Amino acid sequence: MTPARPVLRRAGDRGWLIECAGRRPADVATAIRGQSWASELREVVPAATTVLVVAGSASGMGRIAEGLHRVLDGSGTRRTRPAAGKTVVIPVRYDGTDLAAVAELVGMTPEEIARLHTAGEHAVGFFGFAPGFAYLDGVPESLRLPRLSSPRPRVAAGVVAIAGNQTVVYPGGTPGGWHQIGVTTARLWDVTAEPPNRLAVGDRVVFEAVAS
């Protein structure tokens, strides 16, 4: 079977939407930002399966589409090597509300779950749902579970939770249907800070187990 190829669709007068077809949207976005014509773009926004590209004006949309096609087929030329994301260490106390249930579902001890989770190669894939809500790729295969069938109406800030291949650190005050495995005191979203978001797409996240 021939693998699916990315699809480029028009999105308004200044936008192109890329359906990534199995490619990691954060990687596609990084490649686009490194192109010689990236200065013509206003925004490059990765999501779960897509990347939205917004131009500064509507006049060069055909030229931008040609450049996007070159990126997607691997022939695009970069202006510079994209800057590497920073590494952010997040201390976690692995005693979350759902830790015992997760351990039973995956057939492990809570200690094994903490060890596997801290060993994962986590990176910020995209943001969504609420300000400061970063979706972190890299949950090990053996810990991947579907979301809860009934989400909680409100989750406190600092709760560390998993679902599918991703981890989230809740910014606080939102509903949440992910499996809560721990808590961190790290503040990743602070409206009084500049910038308010401590994480950015492409950043590497290292979870570090700490004592209760």
Side-chain angles (χ1 to χ4, degrees):
M1 181 180 296
T2 302
R5 295 177 59 83
V7 176
L8 188 63
R9 301 187 189 280
R10 192 67 182 260
D13 65 334
R14 293 186 296 112
W16 289 106
L17 184 69
I18 303 169
E19 297 177 1
C20 293
R23 295 178 62 177
R24 186 168 179 264
D27 294 340
V28 174
T30 297
I32 293 169
R33 293 190 185 106
Q35 300 300 307
S36 58
W37 42 266
S39 59
E40 299 181 44
L41 306 178
R42 177 171 293 180
E43 291 185 280
V44 181
V45 185
T49 60
T50 62
V51 175
L52 176 65
V53 177
V54 181
S57 72
S59 61
M61 292 299 287
R63 181 173 63 256
I64 290 172
E66 292 174 2
L68 292 174
H69 280 299
R70 288 194 294 271
V71 170
L72 296 175
D73 67 21
S75 63
T77 56
R78 289 180 173 173
R79 176 186 58 217
T80 57
R81 182 181 297 276
K86 62 184 178 295
T87 297
V88 178
V89 178
I90 299 177
V92 179
R93 190 178 69 243
Y94 285 92
D95 60 357
T97 300
D98 300 320
L99 184 61
V102 170
E104 184 174 353
L105 285 169
V106 300
M108 298 182 190
T109 66
E111 292 76 16
E112 287 173 325
I113 290 171
R115 186 164 59 252
L116 277 172
H117 190 253
T118 56
E121 296 184 1
H122 305 274
V124 181
F126 62 98
F127 291 85
F129 182 58
F133 199 97
Y135 291 80
L136 312 177
D137 300 329
V139 169
E141 183 72 38
S142 55
L143 296 183
R144 296 181 184 181
L145 296 169
R147 298 185 189 187
L148 299 172
S149 58
S150 179
R152 297 176 173 92
R154 189 177 181 87
V155 180
V159 170
V160 177
I162 59 173
N165 71 324
Q166 293 171 322
T167 301
V168 294
V169 179
Y170 280 93
T174 70
W178 296 48
H179 302 272
Q180 300 180 17
I181 62 171
V183 178
T184 182
T185 57
R187 194 170 185 182
L188 303 180
W189 172 255
D190 181 359
V191 294
T192 66
E194 182 57 45
N197 207 343
R198 187 176 167 190
L199 299 176
V201 171
D203 285 352
R204 179 171 177 260
V205 173
V206 176
F207 291 105
E208 185 177 78
V210 296
S212 300

